[in-house]
């Protein structure tokens, strides 16, 4: 995920909290460090730095409510609930009084993209300081009004009360424009001990409409006069539209407009099923010239990737010639991970309205401002003439079709026949499978040497991957699908890698183990024939799968138990502690043999990004040797996410990761050939179903003295490796290519 | 030709729908019912599940006219935000949603299932939900929510 704004103050102490399944972090800037020279604006904490006005974050309303505005958005992780908890505590108002506005280019601060577990760090920190300061300003105003010093006043739920019983409410001061000023961040937020809501698992607000049929998603929004739209995508990437019978389709029932712009085709109708029918008719009549320039599918993909143009970086290097010279044995292995789809359950959707030269879009994008920037480029409009309002969609797990469907709706909404009417455009299932940006395939080569004492003396991790981030707002291109197909086409931005320490394709490629000599090399493929972008964990899933499978292989070569072998190479006490915890909970027996060729137990460990949550996993699997099916029966995880304020919330995240990773690891691989993507329905891209879901058990190590760490992406990598290691434990054979399908299992066992 | 349906206990009509319009679009667009969702359109994911005379059906592949004589129940028919039904409450209690796009289909499938099986085992719940897809990995919480509701219903 993209590295969003990070706190830049020189000195800071940070503490973070968990709430409602989220990692929420605050960074308290040292007030002295904030007192910079007057010429430059003083640095402010979190997103206050880039959005400095208090009334850009908070509004006190005369009706007894508070409006909280954030540039971050809910993606099914409940972030806005957590942000409202912060405002409630710092401002001393009941949580129920808080109205939330999130992600709107016209109304909220610009906080870039919601990604990388940074929402609480960026927005939470800003809201925390803004709320503390707002409370102080309101107290000062009350003090002036009542003639009582603030030290003799208390606030409860927006009521400021003096010791003598005089009172004034926030709401009475609503119109005074008190918050129309730049933040100073000089009012210290409350200490952890004074928190009432922060740190509690409260019920997420967004769940109520979701279980009762409220307007919960952009898909549910209805507007007066709204039309229904569909887009008609080419049969394969970069195909050119040669001809299409627009006149015929225009005569179909309910068709209001058909838009053709170069090779972009879309239709707007009165009714949704009419739009679907018109889309089918357009597909049938359209003639395309296809390129057929995708890479070879299947096993041939990976040698092909290694022959492409790359930008090479040595991500990490340590040299110790003496240690390396003591090598007694060399072990090598190669691993692969296919392209994965985000495969959101609900296909992407957006509403567009073009009226009086202004464009308004409702979108489940992860970044309303970055999206607007690319939309302006594509539409050749001024950014100030475009408003993008966020509304939730189906879970995205990174960059799905959200931004692209918004671009489609924008192009369709400009059709003159619409006369300013809004149009809701939802992708069909096959549009989502065919055109979302995928998680890149990766090839990884590992090589290690061990000495006579069974210790690793040299470690090499070399990876080949496409980029893991092609989000909108690229300075050198336009990263919206439709923009590449319109007559006046734009080019996508170049392939870029997110730099270390978090990394992109090289995320988690640098070992946490202590090896005397090591080298990690990232080969970033320059060309991007099959579009790829951010999918949950970016490169970490494949890198941890490879490195943690390989650790087992090296342990086997050293004749050691894999879990004990890891401990021998670790010094970080928190890493050791999660390993011990999962061993205790699962009853892992070092050196235990499986024996029956069918059931096995695997172990794996990682610290996500080398910066976030520590997770150790033990998985028990059963292999049906006849059918080739692997069934993951149980999985135990132990996690250390620092201060665990909402233990249940963290557990939920870790659990979800274990389950999603089981699906990726056993089932998922994007089918395609040289001409195009071959997944159209769930039949071609099966995912995990209820009967296959492992029973999961999560142990949490709470460290109240430590900064909380992001948890949402921590368990996927270790889970994949634990399954692979369990397969080896069960069968004595190793699967190094994902996914572990029945065919592959049978071939491996043959 | 107007379509008239019995939805959540009320006669509702959709004058602009045609007989072969899928029930999903009649419910969502003509009757402004939000809960049932488009996920795949080909009966593979369960996001569009509603009850027809108590039986779970996939509204994306059901022509509206074919259910004209039946009682249709959607998530809205189980309870409201003010007065939630047992299953809805259980999903809130377990916080059994991440994005929640699959949840209406999960609840409706579970409602039909619990109607015929008052005291299900975990395995039976998993089996009943096998045709419903969730991408967020919320499965274990969904199972817990259905277990909770089953308990409450039989209490
Ligand atoms: S939308 Fe009906 S089953 Fe998927
Ligand atoms: S909760 Fe998101 S698909 Fe199930």
């Amino acid at each position: 995920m993209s590295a969003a704004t990070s706190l830049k103050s020189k000195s800071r102490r940070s503490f973070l909290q968990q709430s409602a399944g989220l990692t929420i972090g605050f960074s308290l800037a040292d007030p002295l460090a904030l007192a910079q020279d007057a010429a430059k604006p003083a640095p402010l904490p979190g997103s206050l730095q880039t959005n400095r006005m208090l009334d850009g974050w908070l509004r006190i309303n005369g009706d007894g409510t508070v409006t909280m505005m954030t540039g971050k958005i809910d993606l099914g992780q409940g972030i806005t609930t957590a942000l409202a908890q912060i405002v409630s505590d710092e401002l001393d108002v009941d949580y129920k009084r808080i109205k939330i506005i999130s992600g709107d280019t016209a109304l909220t601060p610009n906080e870039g993209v919601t990604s990388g577990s940074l929402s609480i760090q960026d927005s939470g920190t800003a809201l925390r300081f803004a709320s503390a300061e707002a409370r102080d300003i309101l107290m000062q105003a009350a003090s002036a009004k009542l003639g009582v010093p603030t030290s003799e006043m208390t606030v409860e739920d927006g009521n400021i009360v003096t010791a003598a019983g005089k009172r004034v409410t926030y709401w009475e001061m609503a119109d005074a424009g008190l918050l129309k000023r730049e933040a100073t961040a000089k009012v210290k937020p409350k200490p952890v001990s004074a928190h009432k809501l922060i740190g509690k698992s409260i019920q997420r607000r967004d769940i109520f409409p979701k279980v009762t049929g409220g307007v919960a998603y952009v898909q549910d929004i209805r507007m007066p006069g709204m039309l229904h739209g569909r887009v008609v995508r080419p049969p394969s990437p970069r195909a050119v539209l040669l001809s299409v019978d627009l006149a015929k389709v225009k005569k179909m029932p309910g068709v209001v407009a058909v838009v053709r712009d170069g090779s972009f085709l879309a239709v707007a109708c009165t009714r949704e099923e009419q739009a679907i029918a018109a889309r089918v008719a357009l597909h049938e009549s359209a003639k395309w010239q296809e390129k057929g320039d995708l890479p070879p599918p299947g096993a041939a993909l990976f040698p092909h990737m290694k022959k492409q143009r790359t930008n090479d970086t040595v991500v990490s290097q340590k040299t110790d010639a003496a240690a390396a010279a003591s090598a007694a044995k060399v072990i090598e292995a190669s691993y692969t991970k296919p392209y994965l789809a985000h495969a959101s359950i609900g296909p992407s959707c957006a509403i567009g309205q073009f009226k009086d030269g202004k464009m308004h879009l409702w979108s489940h994008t992860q970044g309303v401002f970055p999206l607007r920037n690319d939309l302006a480029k594509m539409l050749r409009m001024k950014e100030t003439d475009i408003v993008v309002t966020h509304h939730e969609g189906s879970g995205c797990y990174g960059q799905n079709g959200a931004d692209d469907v918004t671009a489609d709706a924008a192009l369709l909404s400009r059709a003159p026949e619409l006369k300013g009417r809004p149009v809701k455009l939802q992708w069909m299932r096959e549009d989502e499978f065919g055109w979302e940006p995928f998680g890149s395939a990766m090839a990884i080569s590992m090589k290690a040497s061990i000495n006579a004492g069974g210790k690793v003396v040299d470690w090499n991790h070399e990876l080949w991957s496409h980029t893991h981030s092609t989000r909108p707002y690229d300075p050198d291109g336009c990263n919206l699908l439709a923009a590449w197909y319109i007559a006046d086409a734009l080019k996508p931005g170049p392939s870029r890698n997110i730099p270390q320490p978090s990394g992109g394709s090289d995320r988690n490629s640098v070992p946490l183990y202590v090896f005397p000599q090591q080298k990690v090399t990232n080969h970033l493929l320059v060309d991007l024939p099959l579009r790829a972008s951010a999918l949950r964990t970016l490169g970490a899933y494949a890198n941890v799968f490879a490195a943690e499978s390989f650790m087992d292989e090296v342990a086997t070569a050293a004749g050691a138990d894999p879990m004990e072998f890891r401990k021998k190479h670790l010094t970080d006490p928190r890493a050791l502690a999660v390993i011990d915890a999962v061993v205790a909970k699962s009853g892992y027996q070092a050196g235990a043999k499986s024996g029956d060729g069918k059931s096995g137990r695997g172990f794996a460990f990682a610290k996500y990004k080398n910066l976030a949550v520590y997770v150790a996993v033990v998985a028990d699997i059963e292999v049906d040797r006849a059918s080739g099916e692997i069934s993951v029966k149980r999985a135990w995880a132990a996690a250390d996410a620092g201060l665990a304020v909402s233990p249940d919330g963290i557990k939920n995240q870790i659990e979800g990761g274990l389950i999603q990773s089981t699906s990726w690891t056993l089932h998922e691989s994007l089918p395609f050939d040289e001409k195009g993507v071959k997944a159209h329905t769930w039949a071609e891209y099966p995912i995990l179903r209820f009967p296959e879901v492992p029973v999961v058990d999560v142990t949490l190590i709470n460290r109240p003295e430590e900064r909380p760490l992001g948890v949402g992406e921590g368990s996927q990598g270790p889970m994949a490796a634990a399954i692979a290691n369990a397969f080896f434990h069960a069968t004595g054979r190793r699967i190094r290519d994902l996914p572990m399908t029945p065919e592959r299992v049978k071939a491996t066992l043959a | 030709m107007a379509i008239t349906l019995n939805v959540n206990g009320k006669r509702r009509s959709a004058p602009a729908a045609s007989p072969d319009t899928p029930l999903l679009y009649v419910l969502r667009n003509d009757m402004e019912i939000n809960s049932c969702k488009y996920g795949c359109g080909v009966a593979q994911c369960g996001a569009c599940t509603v009850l027809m005379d108590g039986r779970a059906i996939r509204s994306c592949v059901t022509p509206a006219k074919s259910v004209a004589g039946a009682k249709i129940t959607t998530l809205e028919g189980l309870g409201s935000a003010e007065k939630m039904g047992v299953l809805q409450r259980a999903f809130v209690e377990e916080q059994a949603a991440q994005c929640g796009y699959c949840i209406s289909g999960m609840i409706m499938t579970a409602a039909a299932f619990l109607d015929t099986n008052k005291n299900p085992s975990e395995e039976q719940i998993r089996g009943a939900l096998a045709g419903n897809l969730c991408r967020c990995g919320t499965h274990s919480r969904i199972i817990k929510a259905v277990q909770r509701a089953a308990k409450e219903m039989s209490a």
Side-chain angles (χ1 to χ4, degrees):
Chain A
M1 318 274 146
S2 92
T5 343
S6 67
L7 186 72
K8 294 255 168 47
S9 62
K10 281 184 200 146
S11 140
R12 66 188 187 196
R13 81 187 159 88
S14 300
F15 57 91
L16 297 107
Q17 309 223 339
Q18 298 289 343
S19 175
L22 296 161
T23 304
I24 55 177
F26 303 116
S27 300
L28 278 190
D30 179 340
L32 291 178
L34 296 178
Q36 297 281 317
D37 66 63
K40 260 200 263 153
L44 292 174
S47 298
L48 274 181
Q49 171 68 8
T50 43
N51 301 273
R52 307 176 71 91
M53 296 299 290
L54 285 177
D55 67 350
W57 295 93
L58 292 168
R59 239 175 10 227
I60 307 292
N61 304 316
D63 63 357
T65 61
V66 173
T67 307
M68 170 196 107
M69 288 152 286
T70 169
K72 301 291 184 179
I73 49 100
D74 257 319
L75 313 161
Q77 84 287 37
I79 186 70
T80 56
T81 298
L83 294 174
Q85 287 174 256
I86 293 170
V87 172
S88 170
D89 267 358
E90 292 296 346
L91 199 57
D92 276 323
V93 295
D94 191 289
Y95 169 81
K96 292 201 186 73
R97 293 187 187 271
I98 299 167
K99 295 198 239 171
I100 301 167
I101 300 180
S102 64
D104 191 315
T105 57
L107 301 171
T108 70
N110 178 356
E111 296 188 83
V113 179
T114 301
S115 67
S117 309
L118 294 166
S119 294
I120 298 294
Q121 183 178 315
D122 297 346
S123 206
T125 303
L127 279 164
R128 185 152 190 254
F129 276 88
S131 300
E133 190 163 349
R135 180 184 182 275
D136 187 67
I137 290 167
L138 289 158
M139 292 275 274
Q140 302 288 353
S143 164
K145 205 168 180 163
L146 302 173
V148 176
T150 56
S151 56
E152 288 168 28
M153 303 189 310
T154 56
V155 194
E156 199 180 316
D157 190 19
N159 280 304
I160 304 175
V161 187
T162 69
K166 287 202 228 171
R167 61 176 58 226
V168 57
T169 68
Y170 285 4
W171 334 117
E172 290 162 45
M173 298 186 278
D175 297 327
L178 292 171
L179 303 185
K180 247 185 205 23
R181 61 170 91 171
E182 198 169 306
T184 64
K186 292 207 169 111
V187 179
K188 221 174 152 184
K190 293 179 181 176
V192 176
S193 57
H195 291 159
K196 292 186 200 141
L197 270 193
I198 298 172
K200 298 251 159 44
S201 301
I202 66 166
Q203 291 180 336
R204 267 166 49 187
R205 279 190 185 201
D206 61 305
I207 290 186
F208 294 101
K210 287 172 179 175
V211 300
T212 54
V215 175
Y217 307 90
V218 73
Q219 285 89 346
D220 302 334
I221 298 175
R222 293 179 197 88
M223 295 178 188
M226 188 178 80
L227 300 167
H228 293 272
R230 287 295 184 273
V231 66
V232 181
R233 290 257 108 90
S236 58
R238 291 170 290 281
V240 176
L241 181 57
L242 300 175
S243 69
V244 59
D245 190 349
L246 298 184
K248 192 175 101 198
V249 173
K250 281 183 180 163
K251 282 190 228 124
M252 289 177 68
V255 172
V256 175
V258 184
V259 169
R260 176 185 177 178
D261 182 351
S263 295
F264 174 85
L265 255 187
V267 59
C269 295
T270 313
R271 295 183 57 84
E272 191 163 11
E273 67 273 17
Q274 293 166 339
I276 293 169
R279 173 185 176 276
V280 171
L282 285 165
H283 266 299
E284 281 167 359
S285 106
K287 302 269 177 301
W288 305 86
Q289 186 177 44
E290 295 189 64
K291 288 278 193 280
D293 58 355
L294 293 190
L301 172 66
F302 303 101
H304 174 86
M305 284 175 75
K306 292 184 179 178
K307 282 187 270 166
Q308 301 309 299
R309 291 198 293 158
T310 54
N311 279 332
D312 301 337
T313 338
V314 175
V315 180
S316 163
Q317 185 156 28
K318 258 200 312 194
T319 317
D320 182 338
S326 71
K329 213 185 229 180
V330 180
I331 306 103
E332 283 182 78
S334 296
Y335 303 84
T336 65
K337 176 229 145 188
Y339 283 98
L340 294 181
H342 300 76
S344 297
I345 289 292
S348 296
C349 181
I351 299 172
Q353 183 168 32
F354 184 69
K355 216 175 161 181
D356 307 326
K358 310 263 187 213
M359 177 81 72
H360 196 153
L361 296 151
W362 290 263
S363 168
H364 53 94
T365 175
Q366 285 176 276
V368 287
F369 289 93
L371 171 58
R372 184 175 67 166
N373 182 274
D374 268 17
L375 286 168
K377 289 184 227 164
M378 179 187 78
L379 298 167
R380 274 79 179 179
M381 284 175 69
K382 290 204 298 268
E383 276 195 80
T384 45
D385 287 337
I386 304 171
V387 173
V388 183
T389 299
H390 176 264
H391 212 91
E392 226 183 306
S394 174
C396 61
Y397 330 107
Q399 192 190 343
N400 66 354
D403 295 316
D404 300 316
V405 77
T406 312
D408 296 343
L411 289 168
L412 181 57
S413 72
R414 279 207 300 201
E417 297 92 331
L418 267 56
K419 301 197 181 79
R421 291 167 76 180
V423 59
K424 174 160 39 172
L425 191 154
Q426 185 166 19
W427 279 7
M428 301 302 285
R429 177 85 260 150
E430 66 198 80
D431 297 327
E432 195 76 32
F433 269 131
W435 295 93
E436 62 150 281
F438 305 104
S440 177
M442 289 174 68
I444 298 166
S445 294
M446 305 292 307
K447 185 175 173 187
S449 309
I450 48 176
N451 64 15
K455 281 203 94 171
V456 174
V457 291
D458 189 14
W459 178 271
N460 287 276
H461 184 135
E462 192 172 5
L463 65 109
W464 288 261
S465 174
H466 291 283
T467 174
H468 289 258
S469 188
T470 58
R471 291 186 186 277
Y473 201 34
D474 191 286
D476 303 315
C478 177
N479 284 340
L480 296 173
L481 179 60
W484 313 333
Y485 292 86
I486 55 177
D488 202 355
L490 296 167
K491 283 207 165 23
S495 288
R496 301 175 195 277
N497 191 38
I498 295 172
Q500 290 284 337
S502 52
S505 47
D506 51 338
R507 185 167 288 180
N508 274 92
S509 60
V510 180
L512 203 68
Y513 302 107
V514 182
F515 302 138
Q517 175 158 305
Q518 69 185 34
K519 188 174 178 187
V520 178
T521 313
N522 180 12
H523 305 283
L524 177 73
L525 276 64
V526 176
D527 303 310
L528 190 59
L530 189 55
R531 188 176 176 218
S533 193
L535 171 57
R536 213 171 181 187
T537 81
L538 308 191
Y541 168 71
N543 285 319
V544 173
F545 162 68
E548 284 294 293
S549 292
F550 192 58
M551 242 349 231
D552 259 45
E553 301 205 43
V554 178
T556 305
D561 174 79
M563 181 275 297
E564 288 180 338
F565 187 71
R566 285 175 174 82
K567 286 180 70 177
K568 211 161 118 179
H569 291 88
L570 280 169
T571 51
D572 184 336
R574 295 173 69 178
L576 293 165
V578 292
I579 292 177
D580 289 340
V582 84
V583 163
K585 193 70 195 283
S586 64
Y588 180 99
Q589 299 276 339
K593 294 265 175 293
S594 146
D596 66 358
K598 285 187 295 202
S599 53
R601 169 168 276 197
F603 173 88
F605 160 79
K607 178 185 183 188
Y608 181 57
K609 292 191 208 180
N610 290 355
L611 297 168
V613 65
Y614 296 80
V615 179
V617 173
V618 169
D620 280 356
I621 70 160
E622 270 167 31
V623 185
D624 182 329
R625 300 182 72 103
S627 71
E629 270 168 36
I630 294 176
S631 139
V632 183
K633 293 289 172 199
R634 302 201 57 164
W636 293 262
D640 169 357
L643 171 66
V645 180
S646 172
D648 184 58
I650 298 172
K651 284 183 177 179
N652 185 18
Q653 296 286 303
I654 301 289
E655 270 172 40
L658 296 172
I659 294 170
Q660 193 172 48
S661 179
T662 304
S663 183
W664 293 352
T665 304
L666 296 187
H667 295 304
E668 298 185 32
S669 170
L670 183 80
F672 64 92
D673 64 15
E674 278 86 347
K675 273 177 81 180
V677 173
K678 296 290 165 212
H680 309 292
T681 73
W682 292 106
E684 298 89 41
Y685 195 90
I687 62 171
L688 198 75
R689 290 176 183 274
F690 272 92
E692 308 167 274
V693 170
V695 174
V696 290
D697 175 287
V698 179
T699 305
L700 208 57
I701 299 180
N702 186 15
R703 296 192 185 274
E705 74 285 3
E706 296 287 350
R707 203 165 64 84
L709 303 169
V711 295
E713 295 161 292
S715 56
Q716 285 89 342
M719 184 61 173
I723 295 172
N725 294 337
F727 183 82
F728 176 79
H729 186 238
T731 66
R733 304 282 178 92
R734 193 159 278 281
I735 298 183
R736 299 190 183 89
D737 302 295
L738 295 173
M740 303 180 194
T741 55
E743 300 70 52
R744 199 160 260 155
V745 167
K746 281 193 275 188
T748 308
L749 293 179
Chain B
M1 190 187 94
I3 301 264
T4 304
L5 299 176
N6 177 337
V7 180
N8 298 329
K10 290 200 188 85
R11 305 280 307 162
R12 306 271 311 262
S13 92
S18 34
D20 56 352
T21 301
L23 177 60
L24 176 64
Y25 299 118
V26 172
L27 292 172
R28 285 188 61 78
N29 300 330
D30 295 293
M31 299 177 179
E32 306 201 345
I33 285 170
N34 296 316
S35 61
C36 40
K37 295 284 186 280
Y38 169 75
C40 67
V42 291
Q44 289 178 341
C45 75
C48 65
T49 305
V50 299
L51 304 184
M52 181 182 79
D53 294 330
R55 207 160 49 78
I57 59 159
R58 306 260 151 129
S59 65
C60 68
V61 291
T62 307
K65 66 153 187 261
S66 71
V67 299
K71 272 197 212 147
I72 300 299
T73 310
T74 70
L75 184 66
E76 290 82 349
L78 300 188
S80 63
E82 295 71 39
K83 201 167 178 295
M84 283 188 281
V86 177
L87 266 161
Q88 291 164 315
R89 259 199 332 267
F91 273 69
V92 170
E93 287 303 324
E94 296 293 339
Q95 294 284 286
Q98 289 185 54
C99 80
Y101 198 90
C102 67
I103 294 299
S104 169
M106 297 289 176
I107 294 180
M108 298 319 289
T109 307
F113 168 66
L114 292 181
D115 212 34
T116 59
N117 191 336
K118 304 283 175 219
N119 189 16
S121 66
E122 180 179 330
E123 208 182 320
Q124 287 170 327
I125 295 172
R126 286 169 176 255
L129 295 172
N132 289 61
L133 299 178
C134 172
R135 187 56 168 158
C136 295
T138 314
H139 306 74
S140 53
R141 291 196 170 219
I142 293 170
I143 295 169
K144 281 188 203 140
V146 176
Q147 284 172 326
R148 178 189 274 264
K151 240 196 198 147
E152 209 172 301
M153 284 172 179
S154 61

